[in-house]
């Protein structure tokens, strides 16, 4: 196969190793490894809490690292993507108290520092509506959960 190439991160903060020869890998995807002392080391791997398949570590449009599993067919019932924040190279996972799907932390509209949590898997909720939960120090505050539109947003 082709050799790994040492790369600088877009933000200039980190270094990683990559092989972009997708056809040369059984997965059909590029391979990424972390850098430790100038040598490639395997990246941490975490399984999706729903389907148990390995999640992808990716940079979202907002520039932040996230973890995700996009095999909707395996996430039944509901069939939605699973996306989690990254904290220290690990996924941040808080299950919905109603259905078990991972809650998603979101920035409130017109805010730069005020967050809320949401479960978008309304198909599995008894009332058929999304669950909104306020954020308290980066974690869901279940004492304030709100069902339906509006909620904590």
């Amino acid at each position: 196969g082709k050799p790994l190439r040492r790369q600088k991160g877009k933000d200039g903060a980190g270094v990683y190793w990559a092989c972009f020869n997708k056809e040369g890998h059984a997965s059909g995807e590029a391979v990424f490894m972390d850098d430790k002392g100038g040598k490639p080391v395997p990246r941490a791997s975490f399984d999706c809490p729903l389907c148990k398949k390995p999640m992808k570590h990716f940079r979202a449009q907002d520039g932040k690292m996230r973890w995700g599993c996009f095999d909707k067919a395996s996430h039944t019932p509901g069939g939605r993507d699973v996306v989690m924040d990254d904290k220290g190279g690990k996924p941040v996972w808080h299950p919905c108290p109603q259905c078990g799907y991972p809650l998603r932390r979101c920035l409130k509209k017109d805010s730069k520092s005020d967050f809320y949590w949401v479960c978008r898997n309304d198909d599995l909720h008894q009332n058929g509506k999304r669950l909104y939960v306020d954020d308290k120090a980066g974690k869901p505050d279940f004492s304030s959960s709100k069902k339906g539109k509006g909620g904590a947003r």
Side-chain angles (χ1 to χ4, degrees):
K2 294 188 177 184
L4 290 168
R5 291 187 357 221
R6 195 165 189 244
Q7 306 277 317
K8 276 194 174 182
K10 287 183 181 179
D11 56 8
V15 176
Y16 64 95
W17 293 81
C19 177
F20 297 102
N21 181 22
K22 296 178 183 181
E23 297 81 25
H25 303 283
S27 66
E29 297 180 4
V31 171
F32 298 94
M33 298 182 87
D34 288 330
D35 182 86
K36 186 172 184 179
K39 297 189 180 194
V41 294
R43 283 197 162 168
S45 177
F46 296 94
D47 291 339
C48 172
L50 301 180
C51 69
K52 308 302 180 211
K53 293 180 181 176
M55 292 195 302
K56 296 186 184 328
H57 197 212
F58 66 97
R59 185 174 306 278
Q61 288 179 337
D62 62 7
K64 295 181 180 173
M65 295 304 293
R66 303 228 194 286
W67 291 89
C69 181
F70 305 99
D71 187 1
K72 294 178 185 181
S74 297
H75 301 159
T76 56
R80 301 198 190 274
D81 291 337
V82 172
V83 178
M84 298 179 217
D85 285 342
D86 175 276
K87 185 169 185 179
K90 296 179 182 178
V92 177
W93 182 58
H94 298 281
C96 172
Q98 291 185 23
C99 69
Y101 253 64
L103 293 173
R104 176 89 188 269
R105 189 173 187 233
C106 303
L107 190 61
K108 286 186 180 180
K109 192 175 182 179
D110 300 325
S111 174
K112 293 188 181 198
S113 61
D114 203 11
F115 293 89
Y116 67 95
W117 294 79
V118 61
C119 177
R120 300 179 308 134
N121 196 29
D122 38 309
D123 302 342
L124 293 179
H125 298 165
Q126 283 185 332
N127 63 4
K129 296 182 178 179
R130 291 182 177 186
L131 175 75
Y132 295 94
V133 181
D134 286 326
D135 183 85
K136 187 173 184 179
K139 295 183 180 177
D141 180 10
F142 293 110
S143 67
S144 70
S145 63
K146 300 171 178 84
K147 300 165 191 80
K149 293 187 176 180
R153 295 185 291 176

